[in-house]
Amino acid sequence: MKIELEQIKSEDKSFQLMFNPRLSDLYYWHFHPELELVYIEAERGKRHVGDHISHFSDSDLVLIGSNIPHLNFDHGIKTDYRKVVLHLDKGFVSEQLLKTPELKHLGSLFENAKYGIALDGKEKKEIGQRLFDLENLNSFDRYIEILKILSDLSQINETELLHTEPYTLLINQNDENRIRSIYTFIDTHFQEKISLEEIAEAHHFSREGFSRYFKKRTGSTFTDFVNRYRISQAKLMIENHCSISDTCFGCGFESLSYFTRVFQKITGENPSEFQRRMRR
């Protein structure tokens, strides 16, 4: 789970594109100075950016700021998928785009990229297809179309910031590896009762020490973080036509009443309302 600095071959270009890179069998936890816009279409997959872990179904469109570590979005996908990745040179963004008066409206988009931003709405798939269509354009036309895509992204209202504060990469390698190990434990055991003592001992903490460390590192209590992860899984199960009862216990909750309260708190609607909305 070592975090890696990815060296992106710039070839003196302002941007780089990758069309359908196949990394589903590789756990590639990495970061790079370049900003990254990634679009993927798949039945389901994992979105792991910085301290944020959630899942997507059907498609995902995410803008990731400079040096925010992230997992390849196709990791573990066994079904058919397609993916396009656009890397924007950090200097190109800061020294060219953001200093051009006609592109001033892109400022909030790139500011939000420091948090990691997921973009949704009716425009998502259209923009995804436009990213794929860049493969057939020459360099100049690609440049113009990328500017248009960025401008359109800045107008999307349905967005989600993936962190509550701009993400700062930890310098301490051991700290990064420890957090990755904790996240992997949660990903592996979320369907079971997770003992705070067990995970603390596995990572060489006392119970109280682990709680303090996790809150300081993530800004969330361990229980709240696990609950958010379980609810992200629960939403996928309900979308895939699982019953609310099976979803509750399949995601590690021990009572329907507690599951309903947590689901309501995190999503703003109860499981039945979410289920009805998904079935319209």
Side-chain angles (χ1 to χ4, degrees), residues 81-106:
Y81 68 93
R82 63 177 192 152
K83 180 176 72 168
V84 57
V85 180
L86 168 65
H87 288 122
L88 296 167
D89 181 79
K90 182 180 179 181
F92 168 64
V93 171
S94 61
E95 298 301 320
Q96 301 295 323
L97 298 186
L98 293 180
K99 291 187 177 180
T100 301
E102 291 80 5
L103 300 178
K104 187 179 295 185
H105 63 290
L106 299 183

Side-chain angles (χ1 to χ4, degrees), residues 210-265:
F210 177 83
S211 295
R212 287 194 300 270
Y213 171 81
F214 193 85
K215 179 67 181 291
K216 181 178 180 181
R217 179 59 185 83
T218 68
S220 173
T221 68
F222 182 70
T223 297
D224 285 345
F225 188 91
V226 172
N227 280 341
R228 288 201 308 271
Y229 186 76
R230 285 173 166 157
I231 293 303
S232 73
Q233 292 280 358
K235 290 167 70 177
L236 278 175
M237 291 182 67
I238 292 174
E239 288 174 5
N240 290 324
H241 308 292
C242 291
S243 70
I244 291 174
S245 178
D246 287 346
T247 298
C248 166
F249 298 109
C251 290
F253 291 96
E254 297 183 327
S255 76
L256 277 169
S257 60
Y258 182 62
F259 169 64
T260 300
R261 288 199 304 273
V262 173
F263 197 101
Q264 175 85 43
K265 179 180 179 181

Side-chain angles (χ1 to χ4, degrees), residues 175-197:
D175 207 18
E176 282 288 350
N177 290 338
R178 179 179 285 163
I179 288 293
R180 300 283 74 74
S181 178
I182 292 170
Y183 287 169
T184 300
F185 185 96
I186 295 170
D187 188 43
T188 304
H189 298 283
F190 75 93
Q191 296 171 306
E192 312 160 12
K193 182 177 180 179
I194 297 179
S195 163
L196 186 57
E197 288 79 6

